[in-house]
Amino acid sequence: MFTEERLDRILQILQAEGMVKVKDLSALFQVTEDCIRKDLKSLENAGKLKRTYGGALLSQDYPLKRDVIDRRDTNIEKKMLIAQKAFDLISGNETIFLDISTTNIMVADLLAKSHKRVTVVTNMIDIMQTLAVNPSIVAIGTGGIMYHTVNGFMGAAAIEIIKQYSFDRAFIGTCGLDLTDNSITTLGVEDGLTKRAAIASSRHKYLVMEKDKFYFNDSYKFAHFDDIDGIITDSSPDEATCKKLYSAGVTIL
């Protein structure tokens, strides 16, 4: 098979499955893993994909849709599954933190429809609005500088409020993981520092993320695997990734 044919086939697999792994492509095409890595680098340079640890994702998968409005209608079934798992962890009379996350909007909706009496601190306006219908829930907004793309608050003022609380649980959104150094990533420094403050103020810390995000990382590293207790996801990642997380004491839920 010629190189161009192999590149076209890799893109076809990506379109069908959303991600590829170097070792699988090496076996499929009967070429070395170094050869596949060169193929993936070539496709990345052409803007066709985003290379990740051990493989690649389609370039449009993450994180093109950065505005909350754009992201609310994507992966709804997966996010609902994650939200239900998060909701089930929450007990009555707890104080929790819901980070900026379209999945956490769904967690808030489940809480608003429930009989659980909880206190919820959040830096996302959508979550505040969702919780407002239930008088049994004490909803506290952090305030601070408003970022329109996420419809929420980030930065120093929000962090100062977060630091005043002791949360039973925090549910943190993320853009993905960097498996090369066991770090957790997001879009930028203001979001990252705000998430870090919530983690530091919580007894139990969970990421809420779809499976695809195990194989993507963004620009700012706000925490490492050993800073969190669990990852709530729609489906477990590959065995090697699971082992890395388990060795760091992270439970996959």
Side-chain angles (χ1 to χ4, degrees), residues 219-240:
S219 57
Y220 188 81
K221 302 175 181 180
F222 66 90
H224 288 84
F225 294 171
D226 55 6
D227 294 318
I228 62 170
D229 299 302
I231 298 178
I232 307 173
T233 186
D234 57 293
S235 181
S236 294
D238 62 275
E239 186 177 350

Side-chain angles (χ1 to χ4, degrees), residues 126-144:
D126 303 71
I127 292 173
M128 290 288 293
Q129 292 173 330
T130 301
L131 296 172
V133 302
N134 188 335
S136 296
I137 294 176
V138 177
I140 301 168
T142 64

Side-chain angles (χ1 to χ4, degrees), residues 80 82-84 86-87 90 96 98 102-112 131 171 208:
M80 192 66 245
I82 297 167
Q84 185 64 56
F87 173 81
I90 300 168
I96 67 169
L98 292 180
T102 52
T103 300
N104 277 343
I105 297 174
M106 295 182 179
V107 177
D109 185 59
L110 291 171
L111 285 170
L131 296 172
F171 299 94
V208 288

Side-chain angles (χ1 to χ4, degrees), residues 170-196:
F171 299 94
I172 307 295
T174 178
C175 291
L177 309 182
D178 188 340
L179 297 173
T180 60
D181 64 358
N182 294 356
S183 60
I184 306 164
T185 69
T186 190
L187 303 178
V189 61
E190 296 297 333
D191 188 33
L193 292 176
T194 307
K195 294 177 189 297
R196 187 181 297 170

Side-chain angles (χ1 to χ4, degrees), residues 111-127:
L111 285 170
K113 294 174 180 176
S114 77
H115 298 290
K116 293 184 180 182
R117 292 179 176 272
V118 293
T119 298
V120 180
V121 180
T122 184
N123 57 334
M124 192 174 195
I125 292 173
D126 303 71
I127 292 173

Side-chain angles (χ1 to χ4, degrees), residues 4 15 23 40 50 62 90-91 100 125 132 223 238 245 248:
E4 289 301 319
Q15 291 286 349
K23 63 179 181 180
L40 297 181
K50 165 69 178 180
Y62 291 103
I90 300 168
S91 299
I100 291 173
I125 292 173
D238 62 275
L245 291 163

